[in-house]
């Protein structure tokens, strides 16, 4: 992920989360904790407030039921969880979390020349598999054009909310807040929408065709 953040901004962001260093204010170490239950609550709120009635005429009752099920279901919640953890890893620590962080490289991994820890690779794979599975449940191209932007909006809003609630120190300064929000968008786009699905719908998943 490209970034124009200054070294001072990066240092400040890490010190806010990690705690004291030389000459830094003492802040209790705190890593992002995400629960599926909290995410499901966010999804339910999104589904209740999003104007789904505006697109209801363009979907069958079965498709609308499927859309609501995806927006409020466990698979989507797991995507939010994984993306939130990867967001913390990428935005707060720029891929280099402290050694006691769950996504940090182990001693053996550091000595092996790996570029990512297995924990990070597993999260990225889980995101990819969950997203592909979700795509596989869409049967019509017209449904895809409607559903994908809503899925991506829910994911961006939910990841932002998870990070805002779990790491509030990152959002105290307005300029820093905007930077974090931009980085959240980049993380979601990089992993789920690298080719611009909103403007150029992707081909159907392997073995499927759109009617």
């Amino acid at each position: 992920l490209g970034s124009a953040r200054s070294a001072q901004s990066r240092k400040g962001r890490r010190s806010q989360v990690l705690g004291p260093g030389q000459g830094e204010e003492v802040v209790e170490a705190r890593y992002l904790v995400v629960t599926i239950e909290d995410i499901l609550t966010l999804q339910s709120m999104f589904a209740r407030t999003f104007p789904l009635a505006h697109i209801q005429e363009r979907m069958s009752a079965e498709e609308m039921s499927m859309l609501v099920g995806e927006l409020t279901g466990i698979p989507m919640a797991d995507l939010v969880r994984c993306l939130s953890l990867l967001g913390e890893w990428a935005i707060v620590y720029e891929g280099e979390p402290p050694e006691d962080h769950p996504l940090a490289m182990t001693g053996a991994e550091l000595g092996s020349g790996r570029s990512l820890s297995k924990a990070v690779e597993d999260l990225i794979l889980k995101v990819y598999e969950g997203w592909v599975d979700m795509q596989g449940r869409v049967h019509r191209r017209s449904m895809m054009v409607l559903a994908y932007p809503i899925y991506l909006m829910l994911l961006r809003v939910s990841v932002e909310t998870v990070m805002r609630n779990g790491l509030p120190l990152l959002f105290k300064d307005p300029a820093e807040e905007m930077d974090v929000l931009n980085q959240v968008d980049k993380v979601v786009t990089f992993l789920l929408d690298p080719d611009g699905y909103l403007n150029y719908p992707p081909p159907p998943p392997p073995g499927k065709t759109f009617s």
Side-chain angles (χ1 to χ4, degrees), residues 5-175:
R5 296 197 305 273
S6 67
Q8 182 178 1
S9 174
R10 291 194 297 270
K11 180 181 178 183
R13 184 168 297 168
R14 288 179 179 226
S15 67
Q16 285 178 326
V17 176
L18 287 175
Q22 292 184 348
E24 294 171 356
E25 181 182 356
V26 176
V27 180
E28 182 181 357
R30 185 178 183 188
Y31 303 140
L32 188 63
V33 177
V34 190
T35 68
I36 292 295
E37 291 76 13
D38 289 342
I39 296 171
L40 288 171
T41 299
L42 295 176
Q43 292 171 234
S44 178
M45 292 173 60
F46 180 92
R48 288 199 307 268
T49 56
F50 189 85
L52 292 173
H54 291 189
I55 62 172
Q56 194 164 5
E57 293 182 357
R58 301 174 63 183
M59 293 184 181
S60 67
E62 180 183 358
E63 288 172 336
M64 178 58 70
S65 177
M66 187 202 78
L67 174 63
V68 173
E70 293 283 18
L71 293 175
T72 58
I74 293 291
M76 183 70 79
D78 205 34
L79 269 179
V80 173
R81 182 187 69 84
C82 294
L83 286 168
S84 298
L85 295 174
L86 287 170
E88 181 198 30
W89 173 81
I91 297 168
V92 177
Y93 303 111
E94 296 191 317
E96 298 179 0
E99 60 182 14
D100 60 339
H101 191 279
L103 298 184
M105 286 196 185
T106 65
E109 288 172 339
L110 286 170
S112 68
R114 295 174 63 105
S115 58
L116 297 174
S117 69
K118 186 177 186 303
V120 170
E121 289 181 349
D122 287 345
L123 272 183
I124 293 173
L125 180 60
K126 195 164 188 177
V127 166
Y128 174 77
E129 290 177 340
W131 188 234
V132 169
D133 286 346
M134 202 167 288
Q135 292 179 37
R137 292 189 285 272
V138 177
H139 300 287
R140 288 195 305 125
R141 183 174 293 275
S142 58
M143 168 71 175
M144 177 196 72
V145 171
L146 293 171
Y148 280 13
I150 300 174
Y151 292 168
L152 290 169
M153 183 183 298
L154 168 61
L155 289 165
R156 288 184 173 102
V157 169
S158 297
V159 172
E160 172 196 326
T161 305
V162 167
M163 295 193 69
R164 188 184 294 274
N165 291 341
L167 300 170
L169 288 174
L170 300 184
F171 295 87
K172 283 189 172 181
D173 176 76

